[in-house]
């Protein structure tokens, strides 16, 4: 397990890969974001993106899966405190997503037995285009037993 003292500003974590299918886009959108650009291929083709695209919330859910596997399964996080999200490009069916997360800042707080860390993550598509930028403010535990 990595504790706050083990982390450094500029440290990067490579994310795995995830390919999103049309069926997943449709299923997610029908349940959580039922607008035509996410649920109706024909209507989406006539829309501003020229075809079906994943909901931003679907993209964020994929980010969460990848970041848990790459970071939060290894780091002693306590809780996320805030997130900022940008979705600069659409995610289409069949897109393979990957990316990296970098610690922008970490502030140890020994009096509280934790640290505040700012992680910036980018997800990119099959062509390397950034489709998600997410900045997370999170609390991380200090190593147990240190005074």
């Amino acid at each position: 397990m990595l504790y706050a003292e083990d982390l450094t500003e500029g440290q990067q974590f490579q994310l795995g890969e995830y390919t999103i299918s049309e069926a997943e886009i449709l299923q997610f959108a029908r349940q959580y974001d039922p607008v035509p650009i996410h649920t109706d291929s024909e209507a989406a083709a006539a829309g501003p993106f020229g075809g079906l695209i994943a909901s931003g919330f679907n993209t964020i859910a994929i980010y969460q899966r990848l970041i848990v596997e790459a970071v939060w399964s290894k780091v002693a996080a306590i809780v996320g405190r805030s997130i900022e999200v940008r979705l600069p490009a659409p995610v289409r069916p069949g897109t393979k997503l990957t990316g990296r997360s970098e610690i922008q800042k970490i502030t140890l707080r020994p009096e509280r037995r934790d640290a505040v860390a700012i992680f910036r993550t980018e997800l990119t598509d099959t062509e390397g285009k950034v489709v998600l930028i997410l900045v997370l403010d999170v609390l991380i535990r200090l190593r147990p037993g240190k005074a």
Side-chain angles (χ1 to χ4, degrees):
M1 183 65 55
L2 296 172
Y3 293 92
E5 300 94 330
D6 303 319
L7 304 174
T8 59
E9 292 178 8
Q11 185 173 357
Q12 294 186 11
F13 298 86
Q14 294 302 315
L15 304 183
E17 296 178 347
Y18 187 94
T19 301
I20 189 167
S21 68
E22 181 172 345
E24 178 183 352
I25 290 172
L26 293 169
Q27 180 182 3
F28 186 97
R30 286 177 182 143
Q31 186 168 358
Y32 298 110
D33 195 359
V35 296
I37 59 173
H38 307 314
T39 61
D40 182 332
S41 296
E42 193 172 297
F49 299 101
L52 192 71
I53 63 169
S55 164
F57 292 104
N58 197 167
T59 304
I60 294 166
I62 293 167
Y63 149 85
Q64 182 65 15
R65 174 61 184 254
L66 292 173
I67 200 80
V68 165
E69 292 172 355
V71 179
W72 306 125
S73 64
K74 300 171 178 83
V75 174
I78 299 169
V79 68
R81 301 191 317 166
S82 69
I83 60 172
E84 296 174 27
V85 176
R86 288 194 56 232
L87 300 159
V91 174
R92 299 186 184 281
T95 299
K96 180 169 61 175
L97 299 171
T98 190
R100 65 178 175 76
S101 187
E102 180 177 327
I103 300 173
Q104 291 189 311
K105 183 173 175 123
I106 188 158
T107 305
L108 300 179
R109 304 188 313 178
E111 71 284 357
R112 297 192 60 169
R113 305 293 312 133
D114 68 10
V116 176
I118 309 297
F119 281 75
R120 184 179 190 277
T121 303
E122 289 187 357
L123 285 187
T124 56
D125 67 12
T126 310
E127 298 167 358
K129 188 172 197 176
V130 176
V131 298
L132 172 76
I133 301 167
L134 191 143
V135 178
L136 174 67
D137 174 333
V138 63
L139 296 179
I140 300 174
R141 288 180 174 84
L142 292 182
R143 187 171 304 289
K146 282 187 95 175

